[in-house]
């Protein structure tokens, strides 16, 4: 089987925005390059994409489901292919890339509720960024996916930010 005949790994991704409309990004712990990304991960057997998204928030950044509120689910799925030098090497050689369902969540907690010291840490640091800057922070082979996710959620991001009062509370 050709590496490009491999299937896509089913995954869920989360754009987590705070009261200021900024998006969470974490700097990956498993690379020497400066690689930032939003929380994402595989969908386990018997799990739906939204369940996986909430689980990933807990596993990757220590955020419990009661600290988030769903704003929107992006329509459809988003795909990316691994670069040729990674296909067949990562994820035990089972996948050519990922197909992802994306969710936009409002973060209801405080920054102190974010904890990268999870049992299997994925990020070494984190920050809040303007969502429009996300594609410039991600590894190049995921950039188009991030641009597509932003486009799919753009109306919801605008609406979510318009529902904030001056003190950051939701109307």
């Amino acid at each position: 089987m050709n590496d490009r005949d491999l299937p896509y790994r089913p995954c869920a991704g989360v754009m987590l925005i705070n009261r200021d409309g900024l998006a969470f990004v974490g700097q990956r712990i498993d690379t020497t390059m400066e690689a930032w990304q939003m929380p994402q991960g595989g969908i386990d057997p018997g799990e739906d994409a939204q369940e996986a998204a909430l689980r990933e928030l807990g596993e990757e950044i220590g955020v419990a489901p009661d600290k988030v509120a769903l704003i929107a689910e992006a329509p459809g799925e988003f795909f990316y292919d691994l670069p040729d030098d990674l296909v067949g090497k990562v994820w035990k050689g089972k996948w050519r890339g990922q197909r992802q369902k994306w969710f936009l969540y409002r973060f209801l907690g405080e920054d102190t509720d974010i904890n990268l010291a999870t049992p299997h840490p994925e990020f070494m640091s984190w920050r809040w960024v303007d969502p429009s800057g996300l594609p410039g922070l991600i590894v190049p082979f995921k950039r188009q996916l991030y641009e597509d996710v932003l486009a799919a959620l753009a109306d919801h991001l605008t609406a979510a930010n318009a529902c904030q009062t001056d003190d950051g509370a939701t109307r």
Side-chain angles (χ1 to χ4, degrees), residues 24-27 36 61 107 110-112 114-116 123-128:
F24 173 95
V25 291
Q27 185 178 14
W36 295 81
I61 65 173
F107 181 54
E110 302 299 325
D111 286 0
T112 54
I114 295 172
N115 178 12
L116 302 184
F123 299 123
M124 67 176 81
S125 64
W126 68 275
R127 64 186 187 199
W128 296 109

Side-chain angles (χ1 to χ4, degrees), residues 16-17 63 67 105-111 113-114 128:
L16 185 67
I17 58 171
V63 171
K67 300 291 184 193
Y105 281 95
R106 165 83 58 207
F107 181 54
L108 305 175
E110 302 299 325
D111 286 0
D113 293 317
I114 295 172
W128 296 109

Side-chain angles (χ1 to χ4, degrees), residues 2-99:
N2 179 315
D3 287 343
R4 290 295 170 191
D5 293 333
L6 293 169
Y8 287 96
R9 180 179 181 223
C11 294
V14 175
M15 181 183 297
L16 185 67
I17 58 171
N18 68 8
R19 292 173 182 90
D20 298 321
L22 300 176
F24 173 95
V25 291
Q27 185 178 14
R28 293 196 53 89
I29 204 167
D30 61 355
T31 181
T32 55
M33 64 188 292
E34 189 168 333
W36 295 81
Q37 72 177 43
M38 293 183 281
Q40 64 174 62
I43 300 172
D44 290 341
E47 187 176 52
D48 69 31
Q50 189 172 2
E51 291 168 335
L54 290 170
R55 178 182 47 75
E56 289 295 332
L57 282 175
E59 288 179 1
E60 294 187 1
I61 65 173
V63 171
D66 67 338
K67 300 291 184 193
V68 298
L70 180 65
I71 297 171
E73 178 179 341
E77 292 183 312
F78 300 83
F79 293 79
Y80 76 81
D81 288 304
L82 289 168
D84 289 339
D85 62 323
L86 294 178
V87 175
K89 295 176 181 67
V90 298
W91 304 314
K92 300 177 184 172
K94 293 170 43 176
W95 314 104
R96 68 181 285 180
Q98 292 188 357
R99 61 181 174 85

